[in-house]
């Protein structure tokens, strides 16, 4: 029994050494040939034999065992009917909902407010306005609204006026749902700057970006039905 254990341990060690050598070879080949792949974060084998995932930040590529070929695209498991690339990117881009700085957002509460989402939005974003109108159909929810003015200097001005108003949630809805202009106001807007820094950290490049309690995020204006579907799934998983 002791001999078997020793042999198994030796085999595992050799397999580990082989995997490390394989990773090193892939890293070297790609770094020598593609300047953008000088700093690869991770190389791991995929379920497809001979294909390796190459990760740089939250960007995912695929290569062969020698690094001679590079694929930029999606890997689909046809048997399980799953997009493995999408699953991987969702995991990589997940945000810890409990760690979000809610003091830098204002809240919109409907019904009992039991369900929660966070949304990064620009006041000049047409898709955000469409999303806000559709969200009127979602009840029993708390929305943490992070002002994220990335479209224009005017976005920054409007965000400041909304943030500095007496009732931020009311002014936001007046602007987004009824196109009313918020009165000029001034106050400490460091929170908005922190929102921008937070967005850059998590590579939030468009609005709206919706973050759910399970850490998943959705870029773009999804329907209220899709929001409900995701909220229901999250509640069932708790």
């Amino acid at each position: 029994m002791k001999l078997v254990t020793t042999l198994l341990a030796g085999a595992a060690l050799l397999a580990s050494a082989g995997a490390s050598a394989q990773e090193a070879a892939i890293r070297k080949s790609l770094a020598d040939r593609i300047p953008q792949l000088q700093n690869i974060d991770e190389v791991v084998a995929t379920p497809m034999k001979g294909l390796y995932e190459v990760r740089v930040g939250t960007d995912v590529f695929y290569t062969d065992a020698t690094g001679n070929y590079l694929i930029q695209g999606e890997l689909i498991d046809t048997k399980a009917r799953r997009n493995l690339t999408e699953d991987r990117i969702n995991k990589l881009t997940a945000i810890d909902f409990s760690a979000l700085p809610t003091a830098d957002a204002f809240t919109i509460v409907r019904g009992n407010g039991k369900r929660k989402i966070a949304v990064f939005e620009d006041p000049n974003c047409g898709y955000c306005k469409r999303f806000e109108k559709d969200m009127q159909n979602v009840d029993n929810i708390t929305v943490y609204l992070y002002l994220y003015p990335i479209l224009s200097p005017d976005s920054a001005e409007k965000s400041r006026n909304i943030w500095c108003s007496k009732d931020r949630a009311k002014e936001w809805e007046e602007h987004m749902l009824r196109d009313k202009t918020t009165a000029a106001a001034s106050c400490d807007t460091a929170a908005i700057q922190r929102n921008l820094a937070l967005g850059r950290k998590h590579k939030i490049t468009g609005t709206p970006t919706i973050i759910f309690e399970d850490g998943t995020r959705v870029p773009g204006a999804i329907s209220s039905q899709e929001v409900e579907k995701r909220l229901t799934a999250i509640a069932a998983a708790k």
Side-chain angles (χ1 to χ4, degrees):
M1 185 65 181
K2 184 177 181 181
L3 177 60
V4 172
T5 303
T6 302
L7 289 173
L8 288 174
L13 186 62
L14 287 173
S16 177
S20 297
Q22 188 76 70
E23 178 183 338
I26 291 172
R27 284 177 179 271
K28 186 177 187 309
S29 292
L30 293 177
D32 287 347
R33 299 166 184 172
I34 304 176
Q36 294 89 338
L37 297 180
Q38 294 288 328
N39 298 304
I40 294 171
D41 293 308
E42 189 177 13
V43 176
V44 295
T46 72
M48 181 177 173
K49 187 177 180 180
L51 189 70
Y52 293 80
E53 176 196 293
V54 176
R55 180 178 67 83
V56 180
T58 56
D59 294 325
V60 172
F61 307 92
Y62 300 100
T63 188
D64 65 320
T66 60
N68 286 335
Y69 300 93
L70 190 69
I71 301 170
Q72 185 174 12
E74 297 182 336
L75 181 61
I76 310 294
D77 184 333
T78 58
K79 185 176 181 180
R81 298 185 180 183
R82 293 188 66 88
N83 185 326
L84 300 183
T85 305
E86 184 179 276
D87 289 349
R88 179 69 165 138
I89 291 174
N90 285 343
K91 185 176 180 181
L92 291 170
T93 59
I95 297 174
D96 183 355
F97 193 91
S98 64
L100 286 172
T102 54
D104 291 341
F106 58 86
T107 57
I108 299 170
V109 181
R110 299 190 186 95
N112 61 28
K114 186 176 181 180
R115 304 180 298 176
K116 299 176 182 179
I117 63 171
V119 190
F120 284 70
E121 295 191 61
D122 184 303
N124 280 331
C125 167
Y127 292 107
C128 298
K129 290 181 179 180
R130 187 179 75 187
F131 174 72
E132 286 292 337
K133 288 177 181 177
D134 203 20
M135 278 295 291
Q136 301 302 303
N137 298 314
V138 181
D139 200 9
N140 298 326
I141 191 170
T142 295
V143 180
Y144 296 98
L145 201 299
Y146 290 83
L147 290 168
Y148 197 59
I150 58 173
L151 295 179
S152 69
D154 182 61
S155 297
E157 182 179 347
K158 287 177 179 175
S159 293
R160 183 200 68 214
N161 293 339
I162 291 167
W163 183 254
C164 296
S165 64
K166 291 182 179 179
D167 189 334
R168 295 163 179 165
K170 179 182 177 182
E171 289 299 334
W172 173 256
E173 293 194 334
E174 286 291 314
H175 172 72
M176 300 300 280
L177 301 178
R178 289 172 278 279
D179 291 321
K180 291 188 177 180
T181 302
T182 304
S186 61
C187 65
D188 183 357
T189 56
I192 297 176
Q193 298 307 310
R194 289 193 292 269
N195 292 347
L196 292 169
L198 182 65
R200 287 193 294 268
K201 175 184 175 182
H202 291 291
K203 295 186 177 180
I204 295 175
T205 57
T207 55
T209 291
I210 308 134
I211 303 166
F212 291 86
E213 280 191 276
D214 63 353
T216 58
R217 65 171 165 179
V218 179
I222 59 176
S223 67
S224 58
Q225 290 88 348
E226 179 63 22
V227 171
E228 281 285 1
K229 179 181 176 181
R230 288 172 177 268
L231 292 172
T232 299
I234 291 168
K238 286 184 178 179

